[in-house]
Each structure stands twice: as C-alpha cells, then as structure tokens.
Amino acid sequence: MRTKLITLVATLALLASASAQSTITVAIPSGPPGFDPQNNNQAVASGVYINIFDYLIFKDAQGEFQPALATSWEAVSDTAWRVSLREGVTWHDGEPFTADDVEFTFERVANDPLLVRNSYYSNITDVEVVNDHEVIFHTAEPDPIFLSALSRNGASVIPRHYYESAGVEAASLTPIGTGPYRFVEYRTDDRLVLEAFDNYWGGRPAFDRAVFRIIPENSTAVSELLTGGVDIVTTVNVSEVGRIEASTAADIAVVGGNRTDYLTFNVSEDQVTADPLVRAAVDYAVDDALLAEILTDGAGVPVRARVSPETSFSPLEYYDTYLFDQERARELLAEAGYAPGELTLKLMGATSNADAADLVAAMLADVGVQADIELFEKSVWNSRYWQPGDFTNIAFGASSDSSFDYGNSLIDLTCPDGVHAKRSHWCNEAFTELVGAANVEFDPAVRAELLKQATDILLEQRPQYYLYSGATFVGVRKGLNFVPRADSLIVLAETSTAP
C-alpha cells in the first residue's frame, strides 16, 4: 500500500510539473486594440497576431523568406505574381483554407482606405483565383518589395467565411486564424489566453497554452519574471536590466534591428508646432547622443531619419549623426518670435516615456522653452495617438519596420493615408510622389536616389524628429529556448523548454 501511495504521489508530481511547463506566459506592456490585423499598426499587437494568424510568406529571424501559407511564388510579369498555396490547411473552426480567403484578405485591405494598412497594399488591383490553391496577384505598378508586403504586419490571412457570416466586429473580437494557437479569451488590460491548435499545419506547438499578460509597469513585469510569474518580458527598460543580469532566474537578450524612437509634431494650423522654425529649434535643442546613451545604456545610435544598416536602401549618411546646437536653437526661437520663457510646448506619450520626457524637457529648458509633460498608461495612450492627431504639440513614439525596406518605412508619412501623416497632419505632395516613384522602381541606384530626395524633404519639413535607433532588451526565463526578433514578432511556435 505504501509503495502504491508513493507511486501515486510521484505520478501526481510529474503531472503537475508537466502541466506547469505546458503554459508559456509573456508579459507585454499593452494589449491588442482588437484582432483585425489589417487595421493595426502597433508592434505589440503584431507580435501577438503571429501566433493566431499566418502570413503567406514568413520572414525568419535572419530575414530570409520561408514558405508559410504559400509554398512557392514567382513573378509572371512586371505587375503579376503567381502564388501557390499550401494544401490541407484548416482554420481554427475546422473549415478549409483556400484561395478564396487570400482573395478576400488582400482585396479587402487594398480597397478599403479606412483600414490602417491600406496604404501598404493599395497597389494591388486584383487577386485572381486560379483554383483552390493558386492565385495571381495583379498590381497597378511594378512592386520591388511585393514579397516583403506578403510577410509583414497587415498580411495576416483572414477567413472569408467567418468575416462574411459573423461580421467584422465579431471577427475582430473573437478571431479565427490558421496559426499555431487558437483564441480562448481576452480580458482587456489583463490577459489574452490562447491554446495550442492540434491541427496546425506546421506541427503542434510545444506549449498547451500561451498567456499574454498585460503589465504596463515595467518594474512589475520584471519582478514577475524573476519570481516565475511570466517567462518572457518583451521589453525591458534600461533601469531594470541590472536586476535581471544579477538574478539566477532569467537572462537578458539584446536585440538590434531598425526600431527608431522619435518625436511626432502636430503641424495643424492651431498648434505652435505648425511653425517649422519651432520644430527645427526642438531638433537643435535636444542632444540625441546623450539620450541614446542614457536611455539605451549605450546601445542606441543617434539618427536623423528612420535608417539603420539592417534596412535596405537606407541613406546611411543620416545614421550615427545628429544636430545639437543650443545657440542655433535660441536663434530659431527668436526668429519664430519667442523670447526666452515665452514658449511652452506640451510633451505627450505613454508612462514608459517618462525618462525620455524628463530629459527632453530639461534640454528644452536650457534654450528657454518650458515643457508641459502629460503621460498616459500605455493602452490609453495608444488609443489617443492612433486616433488621428489626438495630441497637442509633440508626441513620443517608436517604430520598426518588419519589411526592413526604407521605402516601405517612408509610406507612413505619405498622404493622405500614411499612418503618421494622419497623426501629424502633415502632407507634402512632392514627398509622396517621390516615395511612390521609388517603390515601383527596380533600378537600385535610381530607387536609392529617389528615396534620398524624399528624405531631404522630410528632414527640412520635420513632421517627425528622429532621436536614435535603439536596441531592445528582452528578459527570458532561464531554460527557455526563445529567440527575440528584430521585427518584434513573438514567435511561440518556435519556442520550447530546453532539454
């Protein structure tokens, strides 16, 4: 009897251990605004979506294209791409994935200007269904970055049958995808719960459940990592890195890439930042190199544009350089009609921008500008900033580009549909035309020159002022095989417990 009891206790202990290991928990600073991948421009949400939905083409951690829902692709003309689709794939509700879903997905995002990702796909004129497992994409102009467009935020394939039967609102609240995990529940500002999809075409993931806990306060998220409450913290503030490095529970991973921190100016006529002299004065007043040193523990590099060595066609003369001249800032303010102490600028952002806001405010004070700082909890700030122009004067922001193509990054500021053009209320037709011409140009030298000309306009007008290109610090529980990515995707299908 005693032997049986010991055996039973040991079995229960093993089962409890297995159960504990079957859930992976990820701390994220804010929750998704919904689950419509074509109406999202937030890196955190995109990082989550990759576990529910699939792209046609998946870009691996090394930036190489890999088959996903598409198994092969070829250009059949300058404006047409033939794409063969994977057979035997099912949606989370058991319905088969077919070419009809691809047609629905990309014609929807290409034709609806109200969708956030529309400007990235508006070149698509038609998705021709050849048969259940083959389509031909037709574009209005040649598209040298077409494959990248199929493998980035906005390209998640969505189910036609579900959107048409349940409606967009229901589909974006309780999503159905083809990805490795299926939706279970979402408690706003608390957690998102997913469960492994047994019939995933890529093989069942290692963990039975994936939980994304929404923890806006970074120190709290790190404490949860160190005490076993979470397995991954996707973004660790510099001030918290030492705690993890000193622990035996977790490690820090430093991820490079093309994330750029910046200030977005509201250039509406009723704003003092409508004056380009004021925007230029802010640029000259702020010491970007000092910001990068303090805020990224020396891992950041000052930049004057959204450029990085990893991003193709970047004009790298604007990398590792910056403007800082306090006397010139004072001259520009005087030219704009402001004596020392007469101008007050509002700095708005998330609570995670607190250190940056304090530093920028101090630098502005050095040139005679007062700063009024107003910060919000991350999810509140996202809902404000991503509503067009719902901020005063200056907003803190950061962006990365999973396509790693500079021409694609500049689409954000083309008008009228660029996501940051809408927020800043800036529209420059010459800039828009140059970016449009560059993104249909196959000659590398010509394309680079067009993008350089567009960048020159951007730097002169300054709807955004770029601070630094920074590394991201990620906290990972010891014993977990997880690869943080430069594009911020949280790919749990490739994550497992170390043997």
Side-chain angles (χ1 to χ4, degrees):
M1 178 70 179
R2 178 178 172 79
T3 301
K4 290 182 178 179
L5 181 59
I6 292 173
T7 302
L8 177 60
V9 170
T11 301
L12 290 173
L14 286 171
L15 288 173
S17 175
S19 175
Q21 292 178 356
S22 68
T23 298
I24 184 166
T25 305
V26 182
I28 54 178
S30 60
F35 297 92
D36 184 345
Q38 297 176 340
N39 209 26
N40 164 68
N41 199 52
Q42 297 179 22
V44 171
S46 299
V48 171
Y49 293 163
I50 194 64
N51 299 287
I52 302 172
F53 304 98
D54 282 310
Y55 300 144
L56 288 175
I57 303 171
F58 180 69
K59 191 176 289 186
D60 64 23
Q62 290 71 47
E64 300 295 326
F65 293 127
Q66 303 295 340
L69 291 180
T71 55
S72 64
W73 47 88
E74 63 173 342
V76 294
S77 75
D78 287 347
T79 58
W81 285 83
R82 185 187 307 275
V83 177
S84 297
L85 305 176
R86 190 177 297 276
E87 298 186 29
V89 177
T90 60
W91 295 98
H92 293 158
D93 63 356
E95 291 295 314
F97 158 74
T98 71
D100 282 343
D101 299 306
V102 177
E103 176 191 40
F104 174 76
T105 297
F106 289 96
E107 291 194 352
R108 174 181 184 247
V109 71
N111 295 324
D112 186 349
L114 296 180
L115 292 173
V116 171
R117 307 310 295 178
N118 166 259
S119 59
Y120 297 90
Y121 298 93
S122 57
N123 192 33
I124 296 173
T125 57
D126 178 49
V127 181
E128 176 188 349
V129 175
V130 178
N131 56 52
D132 278 353
H133 298 101
E134 185 178 308
V135 296
I136 298 176
F137 285 89
H138 297 275
T139 59
E141 302 284 348
D143 192 341
I145 57 173
F146 182 74
L147 296 182
S148 289
L150 298 186
S151 60
R152 59 157 297 159
N153 179 14
S156 300
V157 181
I158 56 178
R160 179 176 209 142
H161 70 279
Y162 185 46
Y163 269 71
E164 291 185 342
S165 63
V168 173
E169 183 176 355
S172 63
L173 290 174
T174 54
I176 288 174
T178 58
Y181 286 91
R182 62 191 300 167
F183 177 86
V184 176
E185 67 169 332
Y186 182 38
R187 291 180 242 162
T188 305
D189 295 330
D190 179 20
R191 69 190 57 208
L192 166 67
V193 181
L194 309 176
E195 66 180 9
F197 181 39
D198 291 336
N199 296 323
Y200 179 53
W201 60 267
R204 192 180 192 279
F207 296 95
D208 295 327
R209 284 208 158 195
V211 178
F212 293 88
R213 288 183 55 191
I214 300 155
I215 308 178
E217 181 55 51
N218 200 242
S219 62
T220 303
V222 170
S223 294
E224 288 289 305
L225 175 67
L226 299 182
T227 57
V230 302
D231 300 297
I232 300 168
V233 178
T234 57
T235 305
V236 176
N237 290 349
V238 170
S239 59
E240 299 294 329
V241 168
R243 291 176 62 197
I244 297 176
E245 290 179 332
S247 80
T248 59
D251 294 312
I252 277 286
V254 182
V255 186
N258 62 5
R259 171 191 161 109
T260 303
D261 284 69
Y262 51 78
L263 303 178
T264 297
F265 294 104
N266 188 331
V267 303
S268 300
E269 289 183 1
D270 62 342
Q271 303 275 322
V272 294
T273 43
D275 188 340
L277 294 173
V278 171
R279 302 198 296 271
V282 173
D283 191 343
Y284 279 99
V286 175
D287 186 341
D288 300 350
L290 183 59
L291 285 183
E293 176 65 31
I294 294 173
L295 298 175
T296 73
D297 198 25
V301 177
V303 294
R304 294 193 60 210
R306 277 182 64 180
V307 296
S308 73
E310 295 83 5
T311 302
S312 61
F313 291 93
S314 288
L316 290 178
E317 59 264 44
Y318 300 124
Y319 183 79
D320 200 7
T321 186
Y322 62 107
L323 302 177
F324 176 57
D325 184 336
Q326 292 179 320
E327 186 55 39
R328 179 60 181 148
R330 296 184 186 98
E331 291 173 357
L332 289 164
L333 290 167
E335 190 177 342
Y338 296 101
E342 286 187 350
L343 176 63
T344 298
L345 293 174
K346 178 162 283 192
L347 306 178
M348 300 180 70
T351 52
S352 57
N353 300 125
D355 290 342
D358 287 341
L359 288 168
V360 170
M363 293 173 184
L364 290 175
D366 285 344
V367 299
V369 175
Q370 301 178 64
D372 177 13
I373 300 172
E374 187 173 2
L375 304 178
F376 304 84
E377 188 272 323
K378 184 74 170 180
S379 62
V380 175
W381 172 242
N382 282 341
S383 67
R384 285 182 65 109
Y385 180 74
W386 293 110
Q387 296 299 315
D390 194 10
F391 68 93
T392 302
N393 298 161
I394 299 172
F396 285 89
S399 292
S400 58
D401 184 354
S402 58
S403 73
F404 285 83
D405 181 274
Y406 185 62
N408 193 78
S409 300
L410 292 187
I411 292 174
D412 284 349
L413 282 162
T414 57
C415 59
D417 297 321
V419 291
H420 290 304
K422 289 181 177 179
R423 275 82 207 167
S424 65
H425 299 284
W426 180 74
C427 180
N428 185 285
E429 292 183 3
F431 171 85
T432 298
E433 289 173 3
L434 285 165
V435 174
N439 286 343
V440 298
E441 178 57 61
F442 278 87
D443 184 309
V446 174
R447 186 166 193 252
E449 177 57 28
L450 290 169
L451 293 173
K452 171 64 166 57
Q453 292 177 29
T455 302
D456 289 343
I457 293 174
L458 191 61
L459 298 185
E460 179 185 3
Q461 294 285 311
R462 291 185 180 85
Q464 289 184 319
Y465 156 40
Y466 304 97
L467 302 170
Y468 56 85
S469 178
T472 299
F473 299 98
V474 181
V476 182
R477 171 177 61 81
K478 286 186 182 294
L480 187 68
N481 289 328
F482 172 72
V483 179
R485 294 169 54 106
D487 58 13
S488 302
L489 296 184
I490 307 165
V491 184
L492 298 183
E494 298 177 352
T495 303
S496 63
T497 299

